[in-house]
C-alpha cells in the first residue's frame, strides 16, 4: 500500500518538477519547494508520533524520497539527508526533542556527520569548533547535526585517544552558514553549504556517541524500544541518499521515454522503430527497477529481523551496505546508457535530461557510494573475519 506522504508528493509532482530549474539557479531549494515538501510531510516520515511524525517503516520513507527525486533531484536529496535526522534525534535525550520540535514539529535539522571539529569536554558538555562542508538544506534548517572528535580536555584542540566520534546538535544561532561555498556541477539546488562553529557550548544532552547510533543501541538508554529506532545508522543514513539517486534515475528514464516517443533520428527513422535504442531503454528500465527493489529489500529485511528480536549482525549490515552501494552504481550506469541515446537535444540547458544526468553523477560522489571499502568489508564479513576498526565506521 502506498503511504499517504508518497501520494501527496505525487499530487504536487508537476509543480516540484517545474521548480527544479529555479532551485538550481538559486543554489538552494526555493521557499515554494520547501513549502510543498513540508505540506507533504516527507521530512517527518521517521519522526516520532509524539512530535507530529509518522514513525513510518523505513521502506515507506525511501519510497517518498524516490518520489520527490523523480521530479527534482535536489529536493529528493535534501529529503533523503534531512529526513534521516529525526530518526537519530529520536534516539537521544528527550530534552533535545522538546527543544527542537516542542514549538514546531516541522523544524528541520541539517548535517554533515564527518568529524571535522573538536568537542572539548567541559563542565556540563563540550566546547565545539570547526568547519564542515556539505550541509545539505542548511538554509531551511534551524538546527545542525555535526560530527566531532572528542577532545582530550587540555583545551588545545587535540583529539582524545582512543578516538571517539560524537554527533552533536547545534541551534542555528551557534553556527555560521558560509555563503558562496556551494558552487558545483550537480545537485546545485541542495544548498549544501559549509558551516562554521567557533567555540560554541554544546550541553551534554545534545551529544551522542556515533558508536551507539552505529550499533543501534542508543535508544535503549532512554527506554525507546520501537523497531524503527533500533536499526543501525550505517543502514539508515545511506538509505535516504541512495533512494534519492535511484529516484533521479527513475525520473530520467521516464523523461527519456517521453521524449523519444515522437523523436525522429537524423536517418529519418522514428526512434520508436529503432530496436537498438529501445533495447537500451528496456535494459535500463530493468536495471533501475532492480536497484529500487534491492534497496527496499535490504532495509526491510533488517527491520523484520529487529522486529522479531533477532540480533542484526555485522555480516547483515555489510550485506545491506554492499547492495546499497551497488544499487546506486547500477542505476546511474543505466542512466548513462539512455543519456547517450537521448540525442543532441539532451545536452541543452532547457532540457531536464542533462540535469538528471549531472545530479545522478554528483550523487555518486558521496562517501557512502564509494564501493572499495564497502565491498572489501563485505567479503571479510562473509568469511567470518574481524573488520579493521576504521572499516567498521560505515558498516
Amino acid at each position: 500500500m502506498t503511504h499517504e506522504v508518497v501520494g501527496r508528493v505525487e499530487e504536487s509532482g508537476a509543480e516540484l518538477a517545474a521548480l527544479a530549474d529555479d532551485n538550481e539557479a538559486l543554489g538552494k531549494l526555493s521557499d515554494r519547494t520547501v513549502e510543498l515538501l513540508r505540506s507533504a510531510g516527507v521530512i517527518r516520515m521517521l519522526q516520532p508520533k509524539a512530535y507530529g511524525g509518522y514513525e513510518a517503516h523505513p521502506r515507506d520513507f525511501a519510497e517518498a524520497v524516490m518520489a520527490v527525486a523523480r521530479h527534482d533531484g535536489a529536493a529528493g536529496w535534501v529529503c533523503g539527508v534531512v529526513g534521516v535526522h529525526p530518526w537519530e534525534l529520536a534516539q537521544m535525550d528527550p530534552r533535545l526533542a522538546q527543544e527542537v520540535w516542542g514549538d514546531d514539529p516541522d523544524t528541520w535539522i541539517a548535517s554533515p556527520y564527518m568529524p571535522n571539529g573538536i568537542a572539548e569536554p567541559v563542565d556540563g558538555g563540550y566546547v565545539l569548533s570547526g568547519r564542515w562542508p556539505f550541509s545539505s538544506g542548511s538554509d531551511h534548517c534551524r538546527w545542525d547535526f555535526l560530527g566531532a572528535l572528542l577532545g582530550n580536555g587540555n583545551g588545545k584542540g587535540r583529539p582524545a585517544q582512543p578516538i571517539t566520534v560524537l554527533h552533536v546538535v547545534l541551534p542555528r544561532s551557534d553556527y555560521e552558514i558560509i555563503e558562496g561555498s556551494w558552487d558545483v556541477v550537480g545537485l546545485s539546488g541542495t544548498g549544501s553549504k559549509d558551516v562554521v562553529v567557533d567555540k560554541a557550548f554544546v550541553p551534554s544532552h545534545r551529544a551522542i556517541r556515533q558508536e551507539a547510533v552505529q550499533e543501534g543501541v542508543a535508544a535503549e538508554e532512554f527506554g525507546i524500544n520501537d523497531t524503527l529506532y533500533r536499526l543501525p545508522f550505517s543502514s539508515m543514513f545511506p538509505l535516504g541518499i541512495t533512494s534519492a539517486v535511484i529516484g533521479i534515475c527513475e525520473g530520467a528514464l521516464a523523461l527519456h521515454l517521453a521524449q523519444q516517443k515522437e523523436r525522429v533520428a537524423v536517418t529519418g527513422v522514428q526512434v520508436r522503430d529503432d530496436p537498438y535504442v529501445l533495447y537500451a531503454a528496456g535494459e535500463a528500465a530493468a536495471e533501475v527497477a532492480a536497484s529500487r527493489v534491492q534497496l527496499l529489500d535490504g532495509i526491510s529485511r533488517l527491520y523484520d529481523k529487529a522486529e522479531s528480536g533477532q540480533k542484526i549482525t555485522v555480516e547483515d549490515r555489510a550485506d545491506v551496505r554492499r547492495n546499497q552501494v551497488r544499487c546506486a552504481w547500477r542505476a546511474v550506469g543505466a542512466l548513462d546508457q539512455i543519456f547517450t541515446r537521448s540525442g543532441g537535444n539532451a545536452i541543452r540547458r532547457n532540457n531536464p535530461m542533462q540535469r538528471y544526468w549531472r545530479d545522478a553523477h554528483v550523487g555518486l560522489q558521496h562517501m557512502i557510494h564509494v564501493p572499495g571499502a564497502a565491498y572489501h568489508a563485505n567479503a571479510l564479513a562473509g568469511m567470518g573475519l574481524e573488520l579493521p576498526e576504521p572499516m567498521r565506521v560505515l558498516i
Side-chain angles (χ1 to χ4, degrees):
M1 178 181 292
T2 301
H3 195 280
E4 62 182 276
V5 169
V6 177
R8 286 197 290 272
V9 169
E10 293 301 348
E11 289 172 3
S12 61
E15 187 173 3
L16 284 169
L19 290 164
D21 283 338
D22 292 343
N23 296 334
E24 182 163 63
L26 286 169
K28 63 179 180 180
L29 297 185
S30 66
D31 290 343
R32 178 56 181 163
T33 297
V34 171
E35 183 181 349
L36 291 172
L37 297 178
R38 290 188 195 278
S39 178
V42 184
I43 305 301
R44 289 185 285 112
M45 289 287 282
L46 302 178
Q47 196 162 309
K49 291 180 179 178
Y51 289 98
Y54 292 95
E55 288 186 32
H57 193 292
R59 178 189 59 243
D60 293 325
F61 165 68
E63 290 185 327
V65 172
M66 291 178 194
V68 175
R70 280 197 294 274
H71 302 293
D72 177 4
W77 184 272
V78 170
C79 288
V81 175
V82 176
V84 172
H85 300 149
W87 169 83
E88 181 171 357
L89 192 69
Q91 301 171 55
M92 298 176 67
D93 191 308
R95 286 177 291 176
L96 179 57
Q98 182 61 37
E99 288 172 340
V100 174
W101 295 315
D103 294 329
D104 182 4
D106 263 324
T107 298
W108 290 7
I109 314 159
S111 77
Y113 284 111
M114 63 184 71
N116 274 26
I118 300 291
E120 286 287 354
V122 295
D123 286 345
Y126 310 90
V127 172
L128 178 71
S129 294
R131 178 167 180 154
W132 293 258
F134 309 120
S135 185
S136 297
S138 53
D139 287 288
H140 301 285
C141 296
R142 298 210 294 268
W143 295 75
D144 216 321
F145 258 113
L146 301 173
L149 298 177
L150 177 65
N152 62 10
N154 67 5
K156 296 182 179 180
R158 305 285 176 82
Q161 299 295 331
I163 293 293
T164 298
V165 178
L166 302 175
H167 292 174
V168 298
V169 187
L170 278 73
R172 180 66 186 84
S173 57
D174 286 353
Y175 58 89
E176 178 187 1
I177 298 174
I178 305 302
E179 295 300 332
S181 58
W182 187 240
D183 184 12
V184 291
V185 300
L187 293 176
S188 299
T190 63
S192 302
K193 301 171 182 178
D194 292 13
V195 298
V196 172
V197 177
D198 183 21
K199 297 179 181 177
F201 175 68
V202 182
S204 57
H205 72 273
R206 294 182 187 166
I208 191 169
R209 288 184 303 110
Q210 177 174 279
E211 183 182 3
V213 187
Q214 177 84 6
E215 300 294 330
V217 299
E220 293 179 6
E221 180 181 346
F222 300 105
I224 300 170
N225 297 310
D226 305 80
T227 301
L228 175 61
Y229 303 120
R230 290 188 286 113
L231 296 171
F233 177 85
S234 56
S235 304
M236 288 295 291
F237 180 63
L239 176 69
I241 294 172
T242 304
S243 295
V245 169
I246 292 173
I248 291 168
C249 295
E250 289 178 333
L253 176 63
L255 180 62
H256 172 78
L257 294 173
Q259 291 182 348
Q260 301 312 302
K261 187 175 180 180
E262 302 300 333
R263 178 177 159 234
V264 177
V266 69
T267 59
V269 175
Q270 282 196 305
V271 169
R272 64 188 181 195
D273 295 325
D274 185 331
Y276 304 106
V277 174
L278 298 191
Y279 177 95
E283 185 175 55
E287 291 296 278
V288 173
S291 295
R292 178 189 183 91
V293 169
Q294 191 171 35
L295 185 71
L296 297 178
D297 173 73
I299 198 64
S300 295
R301 284 189 292 110
L302 290 187
Y303 187 94
D304 290 346
K305 198 164 190 179
E307 190 168 47
S308 65
Q310 299 179 65
K311 177 178 174 57
I312 295 175
T313 66
V314 171
E315 186 172 359
D316 292 331
R317 287 154 43 185
D319 284 350
V320 169
R321 274 284 285 132
R322 174 203 65 201
N323 292 346
Q324 165 258 316
V325 172
R326 185 67 198 129
C327 287
W329 282 85
R330 182 193 299 115
V332 176
L335 171 52
D336 284 343
Q337 291 302 310
I338 58 173
F339 184 76
T340 56
R341 292 169 173 84
S342 290
N345 285 324
I347 65 173
R348 297 186 186 280
R349 287 284 187 182
N350 64 357
N351 188 335
M353 182 60 74
Q354 51 79 29
R355 190 186 65 245
Y356 279 119
W357 185 77
R358 289 185 289 108
D359 286 352
H361 278 275
V362 170
L364 277 189
Q365 295 295 114
H366 195 286
M367 65 180 298
I368 62 103
H369 288 143
V370 175
Y375 292 173
H376 184 174
N378 177 254
L380 291 177
M383 295 174 186
L385 300 175
E386 190 74 18
L387 302 187
E389 191 58 39
M391 195 175 286
R392 295 177 65 94
V393 172
L394 284 177
I395 298 298

